[in-house]
């Protein structure tokens, strides 16, 4: 894990992640998580966590953002950077399921930043988040 100055996080992406976190459907945990993924220079897709009374059906913000990018025609390897904003966590790092999806879809050197309400930031490459992944080529 590496700590970064909050100024190293792209502010537009952070703002989009923060805004979409307000749309979280999280009546069970109360956690509000937003993710914004940048694809190339211009395109950004967003997602928030969506919980369900059948708890295991909960979708994390990260996977919802990545799935939105795919639905808009973005291809594997074209997702370059993600900012995740979370309230309700002291410190967030992506769950295992999201890491598996990140490693499949994002560029190998893509960077993921997690930001909390207090302005603390942790940043990793997707390779750092999930070394030795399961892949089918
Ligand atoms: N959650 C995310 O959206 N992303 C993460 O990286 C970890 C957890 C959500 C899922 C659930 O709605 C809530 O946070 C508590 O686990």
């Amino acid at each position: 894990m590496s700590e970064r100055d909050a100024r190293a996080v792209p502010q537009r992406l952070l703002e989009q992640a923060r805004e979409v976190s307000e749309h979280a459907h999280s009546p069970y945990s109360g956690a509000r998580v937003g993710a914004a993924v940048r694809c190339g220079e211009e395109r950004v897709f967003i997602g928030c966590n969506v919980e369900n009374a059948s708890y295991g059906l909960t979708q994390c913000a990260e996977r919802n953002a990545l799935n939105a990018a795919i639905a808009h025609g973005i291809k594997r390897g074209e997702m370059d950077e993600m900012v995740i904003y979370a309230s309700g966590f002291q410190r967030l790092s992506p769950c295992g399921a999201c890491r598996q999806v990140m490693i499949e879809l994002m560029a190998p050197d893509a960077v993921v930043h997690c930001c909390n309400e207090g302005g603390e930031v942790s940043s990793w490459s997707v390779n750092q988040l999930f070394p030795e992944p399961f892949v089918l080529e």
Side-chain angles (χ1 to χ4, degrees):
M1 183 194 299
S2 71
E3 308 298 320
R4 292 202 185 183
D5 191 297
R7 286 169 298 187
V9 176
Q11 293 301 300
R12 191 173 97 88
L13 277 187
L14 174 56
E15 188 56 23
Q16 287 172 292
R18 195 194 59 71
E19 280 177 13
V20 72
S21 75
E22 293 172 8
H23 299 157
H25 173 72
S26 52
Y28 309 108
S29 77
R32 294 188 174 275
V33 187
V37 60
R38 178 179 61 77
C39 308
E41 295 304 311
E42 301 268 316
R43 305 189 72 185
V44 174
F45 300 92
I46 57 175
C48 60
N49 55 323
V50 180
E51 297 183 350
N52 191 276
S54 178
Y55 296 157
L57 298 182
T58 291
Q59 289 286 329
C60 293
E62 296 93 317
R63 273 176 287 153
N64 282 335
L66 294 169
N67 292 345
I70 291 291
H72 284 84
I74 301 296
K75 302 301 181 199
R76 181 182 206 174
E78 294 179 348
M79 303 172 194
D80 298 309
E81 189 170 25
M82 177 181 279
V83 174
I84 303 155
Y85 175 89
S87 62
F89 291 93
Q90 189 81 4
R91 184 175 292 281
L92 183 77
S93 83
C95 79
C98 288
R99 292 177 192 216
Q100 175 73 34
V101 175
M102 286 173 178
I103 204 80
E104 173 133 349
L105 295 180
M106 298 184 79
D109 61 347
V111 178
V112 175
H113 311 275
C114 281
C115 308
N116 69 13
E117 291 160 289
E120 293 166 296
V121 180
S122 302
S123 303
W124 309 265
S125 70
V126 289
N127 282 325
Q128 282 178 303
L129 282 175
F130 202 0
E132 306 296 336
F134 169 67
V135 289
L136 292 175
E137 298 299 354

